[in-house]
Amino acid sequence: MLTLENIDQYYGSSHTLKNLSLSITPGACTVVMGRNGVGKTTLMQCITGLLPLRGGSMSLSGRNITKIPAEGRAAAGIGYVPQGRQIFPLLSVEENLRIGLRARGDGSKIIPELVYELFPVLKEMLRRRGGDLSGGQQQQLAIGRALVTEPELLLLDEPTEGIQPNVVHDIGTIITRLNKEIGLTVVLVEQKLPFARRVGDDFVLMDRGEVVAKGAMDTLSEDLVKQYLTV
């Protein structure tokens, strides 16, 4: 599905991603974990094209996407839910969703019914401004906006951050449904270990811009948790 080979990225003189190579299993939910500042969000932004690579290459389903700009990555099949949601607070729910449609490769102007099936609250609040929604509803809107492109690969950067527990549970259920029932490949940056264990098939541990461990989620040991996740 997604293959990264010898990725390098810098922030000023700081080497934020260091010769990073990674292969994401098609149809799986892969959870990227690590302490703050290890390069997780930078990795997501490189995959989406928001940050151009300083070195290395990237392919999606066998197609080299290294030089494709961010707007082309969405059309190529990558959906992205950024950290902090980044919805448009003064636009309505429907307008937020329709902005996502602009990134579709086929030019469709129709919001997929799946979005309303997964998030019925959005259909009820189509005319409400995005900024008037609760934090959990805004997160659902951000995920819905990514899904209107009908991506092959969905990236979520800390979707549970600042969300009330009952909505966190619902988001986990939706991620699992997208992954298991619909077959969407998911890459998830997550700090909450119980949530990661619940939804993830595979894990990737990062430290100082490098992948230091990876494998099936049920092989994530307490020693690894203590070494790379415990604060």
Side-chain angles (χ1 to χ4, degrees):
M1 163 56 73
L2 178 70
T3 302
L4 313 178
E5 296 183 354
N6 306 317
I7 298 298
D8 281 298
Q9 184 53 262
Y10 292 82
Y11 183 77
S13 61
S14 177
H15 199 172
T16 53
L17 295 180
K18 302 175 183 177
N19 199 37
L20 186 150
S21 294
L22 183 63
S23 183
I24 299 299
T25 304
C29 178
T30 300
V31 186
V32 179
M33 292 181 282
R35 296 186 179 96
N36 289 334
V38 300
K40 303 184 301 295
T41 293
T42 298
L43 175 62
M44 295 295 104
Q45 292 177 337
C46 285
I47 294 172
T48 60
L50 294 173
L51 287 176
L53 300 182
R54 293 282 292 274
S57 63
M58 185 182 313
S59 63
L60 179 69
S61 299
R63 177 189 179 190
N64 191 316
I65 61 171
T66 308
K67 302 296 185 181
I68 296 178
E71 58 271 21
R73 302 280 175 100
I78 297 177
Y80 180 44
V81 182
Q83 186 178 22
R85 300 181 281 277
Q86 297 182 21
I87 65 161
F88 297 94
L90 298 182
L91 298 183
S92 70
V93 166
E94 183 175 12
E95 288 168 336
N96 270 275
L97 293 173
R98 290 199 175 280
I99 283 175
L101 286 172
R102 297 178 183 179
R104 287 184 66 108
D106 61 4
S108 174
K109 304 300 182 184
I110 300 173
I111 297 170
E113 194 59 34
L114 174 66
V115 172
Y116 298 135
E117 182 184 339
L118 292 171
F119 305 113
V121 68
L122 298 183
K123 194 166 188 177
E124 297 168 6
M125 298 182 172
L126 281 177
R127 301 291 179 263
R128 190 171 298 186
R129 293 194 307 181
D132 293 336
L133 304 184
S134 69
Q137 290 165 347
Q138 289 184 12
Q139 185 64 70
Q140 292 178 65
L141 177 57
I143 297 173
R145 183 179 59 188
L147 291 176
V148 300
T149 65
E150 298 185 315
E152 299 176 32
L153 171 67
L154 180 64
L155 308 177
L156 302 107
D157 194 348
E158 298 202 32
T160 67
E161 184 180 35
I163 304 298
Q164 55 267 41
N166 63 312
V167 179
V168 168
H169 183 274
D170 292 344
I171 288 173
T173 299
I174 287 165
I175 291 172
T176 299
R177 182 178 174 190
L178 288 168
N179 180 227
K180 304 304 181 191
E181 295 182 18
I182 299 173
L184 187 62
T185 303
V186 177
V187 178
L188 167 71
V189 171
E190 184 52 58
Q191 297 276 34
K192 296 181 175 66
L193 185 57
F195 185 86
R197 291 192 188 276
R198 176 190 168 201
V199 303
D201 298 303
D202 301 326
F203 74 89
V204 173
L205 287 180
M206 292 184 62
D207 188 46
R208 299 179 183 180
E210 299 178 284
V211 173
V212 292
K214 57 186 177 181
M217 185 61 74
D218 59 9
T219 67
L220 177 59
S221 67
E222 291 306 315
D223 287 343
L224 286 173
V225 170
K226 183 177 180 179
Q227 186 173 0
Y228 295 112
L229 297 178
T230 303
V231 178

